[in-house]
Amino acid sequence: LYTAPDSCKGRCEEPYNEEDECHCNAKCERYHNCCEDYYTYCSPEGFSRSQDAITDGDLLHISEQLYEADHNKAQPTDITINPQHRVSSDQTGDQEDHSPEPLYKYVNEKLFSKPTYASFIKLLDNYQRATGREEDVTAEELKEQDNFLKEVMKTELMKKLFTFLHKKNRYSSEQEFVTDLKEMWFGLYSRGNGEQDSSGFEHVFSGEVKKGKVTGFHNWIRFYLLEKQGLIDYFSHSYDGPWSTYPDVLGMQFNWDGFYKEVGSAFIGCSPEFEFGLYTLCFIARPGRACHLSLGGHSLSIQTYTWTKSTYGNGKKYIATAYVIS
């Protein structure tokens, strides 16, 4: 019988083979290299213990816990945004500037001196935005990656996330978790012509340009800093979340130094660890699928995708992208 290489149909509990595109045995969740339909065809009972499965209810509960633990987020007086013109979903590709004013009227930059913000901002200038151009990672940049991970792991939010994943048998120690975070987010792979030109972190947080368009770029701090420099022109928004406090969610249209982003969804006013933690949770729990969460009683979904063309460790997958889809 022929089975599709990217499907688990008829392949549950199949022994690991490094040549397989994706996997269907009980360990694939831990290594985040399951096929996208793993849950459809292979019951979570495939785990050594059924309670190791991450249920939809678990995700709603842990996401509310992480929301509560975001102690470094902006307070209502820290940020004033001016969203101006709202477009319908079928107008997002128009590339028309409907908003003459910048998106950010005011940001209290004292936020940026907090350790997780400061270590996050240092990472943003480490990348060439054009895909197809090899990233040259210096010893100093590697140190900045380690420092960011060290600072976020000091927070209650990331400790709660580790505790949750540890209980679900995904990681045996905090060190194993941090080592894996570094690979899945900062490990390099090729979006271009075989050059080591991209990583999950660069794509999601810093943003890239491919075939004349902005890809990724889902971070409010990066947006604010570039807008302040005059390198981003805010055009409009197509979604404004129901939150009355931060983090809020905005779906934006903008021009980045000559390149257009049709819908750049982003959390506004959250700490770096909040976004980093939530995307990590969804990538581990629901890779390649919508991950349904709850933040302050409001529903929100995150979409992640795995990078399928190269792996690290024992067939583990890198993060290709992660973003809000609500």
Side-chain angles (χ1 to χ4, degrees), residues 37 180 209 324:
D37 59 8
D180 199 34
V209 170
V324 179

Side-chain angles (χ1 to χ4, degrees), residues 31-32 180 183-184 283 310-318:
Y31 289 104
H32 32 270
D180 199 34
E183 285 289 351
M184 76 168 82
F283 181 67
S310 55
T311 59
Y312 67 92
N314 188 12
K316 287 189 171 192
K317 298 280 179 71
Y318 298 105

